[in-house]
Amino acid sequence: MSYQDASVADFMDKLEALHHERGGAVTPTEIRRLMSSSLGEDQQMDALTDSIRTIAGKVSTFKLELMSGDADAIADDKIPDASKELNAILESTESAANSIMDAAEKGQEEAMMLDDDTQQAAILEQVTAIFEASNFQDLTGQRITKVVNLLIEIDEIVSELLNTLRKNLDIEVSSIPEGEEDGDSDEDLLNGPQLNEDVPSQDDIDALFDSL
Amino acid sequence: MAVDKNMPILIVDDYKTMLRIIRNLLNQLGFKNIEEATDGKAAIEKLEQKQYHLIISDWNMEPMTGLDLLKTVRADERWSKMPFIMITAETKTENVIVAKQAGVNNYIIKPFNAATLKSKISAVFGAF
């Protein structure tokens, strides 16, 4: 690799790293600063030309993808289908939890009719464990609802993005669902269950509650 | 305050399965006088008709959340002193702070068991 090629590669690496760090928001000033630190004047022009050529290629490819309908399939079918699948899981786990509790309640009734107190207590202890374990359905439901809502938001964003891009590219546009209004502060508190590694224990919550 | 196992308890959750779990666990603890509401609004309607001794409510409900219910209950002099326990999956510090500031008597995180439910009711009414 020539010195010039190495400098250009260095510039591209730094640009890519900065692009990644900023989540895609790199300003012209930052690009100029990077170019000055990595390249000579001629190399800067070459690197800029290469970058513009790459961007133009990506825009062209994206334009073709937009026209091909692949993007529509994501917004119109794949995301809504994923939501339906998750809702089906929700319904089946709810049905399963209710069947489990039907059986537990019957077991409880049978246990209450036993004359042997020790045997009755032993069965009721197991029935209680079944009720406690049935908590899973509520948490599963809340987690799935959280993901479904996220998918709906993503669907709206993708549709809006497609609409905006197509307007700019003079491509025919399909209708777009309206975005939701921002929630109030109490609604912001509704986060649903956290993942296990993030969840404080009841003791943690008790300590916090008592400290307030 | 001694625990009256016959005291009327209102449990509020929009998941019917969860209502069933709470009711069964309360039954296991000896409480039999339990009524249910599936959201905050339905709970208010129940409260208008009957004096309960304890409300156990979920937070995450629509359209009226458990926090809205708590605030409404605390703002009404008929119910302002009524013991209120929140059972919720909302475990973030800010949630606990907001609930405490709104006047909740205790806070149970999901998933929970009968022992936790018992200890929180004991914390409000005394050991049983």
Side-chain angles (χ1 to χ4, degrees), chain A residues 128 132 135, chain B residues 25 29 108-109 111-119:
Chain A
T128 303
E132 289 171 353
N135 267 303
Chain B
L25 291 178
L29 295 174
I108 298 176
I109 58 168
F112 64 99
N113 56 31
T116 302
L117 187 58
K118 183 178 180 181
S119 79

Side-chain angles (χ1 to χ4, degrees), chain A residues 13-26:
Chain A
D13 286 346
K14 285 179 178 169
L15 182 60
E16 200 169 318
L18 189 63
H19 180 267
H20 180 70
E21 184 187 320
R22 299 286 160 81
V26 182

Side-chain angles (χ1 to χ4, degrees), chain B residues 67-125:
Chain B
L67 182 64
D68 293 334
L69 173 63
L70 172 63
K71 287 176 177 175
T72 304
V73 164
R74 288 292 174 259
D76 191 309
E77 62 179 17
R78 291 171 295 170
W79 313 317
S80 60
K81 304 288 183 197
M82 189 179 292
F84 194 117
I85 295 175
M86 192 80 83
I87 296 184
T88 178
E90 306 292 344
T91 53
K92 293 194 172 169
T93 304
E94 57 263 37
N95 291 84
V96 182
I97 293 170
V98 167
K100 182 83 186 250
Q101 286 172 343
V104 79
N105 295 83
N106 229 309
Y107 199 97
I108 298 176
I109 58 168
K110 294 177 182 176
F112 64 99
N113 56 31
T116 302
L117 187 58
K118 183 178 180 181
S119 79
K120 299 309 163 195
I121 294 174
S122 297
V124 177
F125 292 96

Side-chain angles (χ1 to χ4, degrees), chain A residues 143-162:
Chain A
R143 287 204 168 101
I144 290 177
T145 303
K146 201 170 161 183
V147 176
V148 168
N149 289 338
L150 181 65
L151 283 172
I152 291 168
E153 276 180 38
I154 291 171
D155 192 25
E156 286 172 358
I157 290 167
V158 170
S159 298
E160 201 168 334
L161 185 64
L162 289 175

